[in-house]
Amino acid sequence: MSTKKYFEIKPKLEKLKSLNPESTSPKQFEGLLRNIIVDGNTILAVTVENDILFRGRQNLKGQLFNHVDELKYPKPEFVLRKGRLNDIGESILYASTSLTGCLVELRPSIQFVLTVINIAKKPTANSYFIPIGIEKFEKHNFSFCRSEKLIFEYLKQELSKVVDQENHYNSSIAIANYFFGLSQKMIVNNKISTIHSSIGLVFPSVQSKLTTNITTFNIAMKPRLYEDCYYISEVTVYGLTLEPDDQNPKSVCMTPLNVGAISPDGKINWKFDYAEMVYRSSNGYGCGDFENEHIKSILL
């Protein structure tokens, strides 16, 4: 991209950054963003090599989840707050490319009871994702010219920023709206291709303090992509306990406490009911299928 293009995009990005998220809607953000990216950026898409994605939900009120629908994307009527990439009333399934990443995003406290679902890709499905704010993903290394680097840095900052007010998500929601809405020719795994199906997004781990982290990323997809290409293959309940050592004072041990078999209708049949699970846990037992297995993770 030419030097001229760089100096055309830079002031547009500065204007975008200067907008007040309290008074600027996602639609207004998106209008400026669309102009900048269409002006200057090649859209890259990849196929995700991970056979399994991970999504976690906290168990509340001493209950187990009874159906997979409670663990995947929320229904629009239950989305009452803005999120990283979703507006009010908008369903998006968030997941992670690793179990550790799933834990890091939730920022759980000790004695946390957590249900984790394994999200598997259907054998014949083809799903495509656009990495945004990422320089390396799996086997892909992305290089940027000067103009694209400006856009990349903006996307990375917006998608990984710490947010303390709901309206501060307006800019990242706009980014999601733009990329989710794409259906055009892209560079897919180094080849030019036209994508007509739903597109997912891969973006940096929001909670991780390791800015150079290339081992776990966040995944976002709309319900249509999930239903077309994915299904919940496993459901496990974990208990978290603190197991510090000299090098890692915040080391946490994840102990499997329960496993569920999924019926064809999506109902979850747990090995133990909640009371029995708690009793076994308090006496030092896991869920049996994972006897003595502990998954150690670090709260970053």
Side-chain angles (χ1 to χ4, degrees), residues 152-170:
F152 162 78
E153 292 293 348
Y154 172 77
L155 296 176
K156 181 177 181 179
Q157 179 182 356
E158 289 300 312
L159 291 169
S160 58
K161 67 183 178 182
V162 176
V163 173
D164 56 5
Q165 296 184 42
E166 190 176 328
N167 279 339
H168 288 184
Y169 284 124
N170 284 346

Side-chain angles (χ1 to χ4, degrees), residues 208-221:
S208 175
K209 293 179 181 177
L210 296 178
T211 56
T212 58
N213 177 35
I214 59 171
T215 59
T216 180
F217 295 97
N218 291 333
I219 295 282
M221 66 180 88

Side-chain angles (χ1 to χ4, degrees), residues 19-298:
L19 295 177
N20 183 353
E22 294 284 337
S23 56
T24 308
S25 70
K27 188 173 182 180
Q28 291 170 307
F29 272 112
E30 186 184 353
L32 284 174
L33 181 68
R34 182 178 299 275
N35 189 324
I36 293 168
I37 295 182
V38 169
D39 260 357
N41 218 28
T42 300
I43 304 300
L44 304 172
V46 299
T47 51
V48 174
E49 300 298 325
N50 298 57
D51 292 328
I52 300 294
L53 302 173
F54 301 87
R55 173 173 166 81
R57 291 282 310 279
Q58 183 181 4
N59 289 76
L60 300 172
K61 300 178 182 178
Q63 296 179 354
L64 295 167
F65 294 100
N66 295 311
H67 197 279
V68 293
D69 286 351
E70 301 175 73
L71 295 164
K72 58 183 185 181
Y73 55 84
K75 294 181 179 179
E77 59 267 29
F78 296 139
V79 183
L80 305 178
R81 298 178 62 86
K82 295 179 181 181
R84 183 71 50 176
L85 302 181
N86 67 275
D87 211 332
I88 295 170
E90 184 177 17
S91 294
I92 289 180
L93 185 143
Y94 295 98
S96 177
T97 55
S98 74
L99 181 57
T100 299
C102 168
L103 175 64
V104 168
E105 291 304 317
L106 286 169
R107 303 297 292 172
S109 59
I110 304 307
Q111 306 305 324
F112 198 89
V113 178
L114 174 72
T115 297
V116 174
I117 57 173
N118 290 16
I119 302 172
K121 188 163 66 174
K122 296 177 181 178
T124 59
N126 291 315
S127 56
Y128 301 95
F129 291 81
I130 301 174
I132 46 180
I134 294 172
E135 289 180 284
K136 178 177 174 60
F137 179 69
E138 295 179 341
K139 62 184 179 181
H140 306 281
N141 284 292
F142 309 117
S143 59
F144 306 101
C145 66
R146 290 182 70 200
S147 299
E148 291 171 334
K149 188 72 173 178
L150 285 176
I151 298 171
F152 162 78
E153 292 293 348
Y154 172 77
L155 296 176
K156 181 177 181 179
Q157 179 182 356
E158 289 300 312
L159 291 169
S160 58
K161 67 183 178 182
V162 176
V163 173
D164 56 5
Q165 296 184 42
E166 190 176 328
N167 279 339
H168 288 184
Y169 284 124
N170 284 346
S171 56
S172 56
I173 291 171
I175 292 170
N177 289 343
Y178 172 77
F179 284 103
F180 273 134
L182 291 176
S183 180
Q184 61 181 54
K185 282 189 177 181
M186 302 182 191
I187 297 178
V188 183
N189 294 344
N190 299 320
K191 296 180 181 180
I192 296 177
S193 179
T194 301
I195 298 177
H196 298 292
S197 59
S198 298
I199 298 170
L201 305 180
V202 184
F203 59 105
S205 176
V206 178
Q207 295 291 350
S208 175
K209 293 179 181 177
L210 296 178
T211 56
T212 58
N213 177 35
I214 59 171
T215 59
T216 180
F217 295 97
N218 291 333
I219 295 282
M221 66 180 88
K222 290 289 189 74
R224 178 183 168 188
L225 179 59
Y226 170 81
E227 297 295 346
D228 287 348
C229 298
Y230 292 90
Y231 68 99
I232 296 174
S233 59
E234 294 182 27
V235 188
T236 308
V237 177
Y238 293 93
L240 273 62
T241 54
L242 188 64
E243 286 197 1
D245 56 43
D246 292 339
Q247 293 183 333
N248 300 304
K250 293 185 178 180
S251 179
V252 168
C253 182
M254 294 178 67
T255 303
L257 303 177
N258 210 346
V259 290
I262 303 172
S263 300
D265 62 359
K267 182 180 178 182
I268 303 172
N269 301 299
W270 293 102
K271 185 168 185 177
F272 310 113
D273 64 25
Y274 194 89
E276 186 176 2
M277 182 185 77
V278 171
Y279 172 79
R280 288 176 57 86
S281 174
S282 63
N283 285 277
Y285 296 105
C287 67
D289 290 352
F290 298 90
E291 205 69 63
N292 299 321
E293 179 183 338
H294 299 288
I295 299 172
K296 208 162 189 181
S297 180
I298 307 298

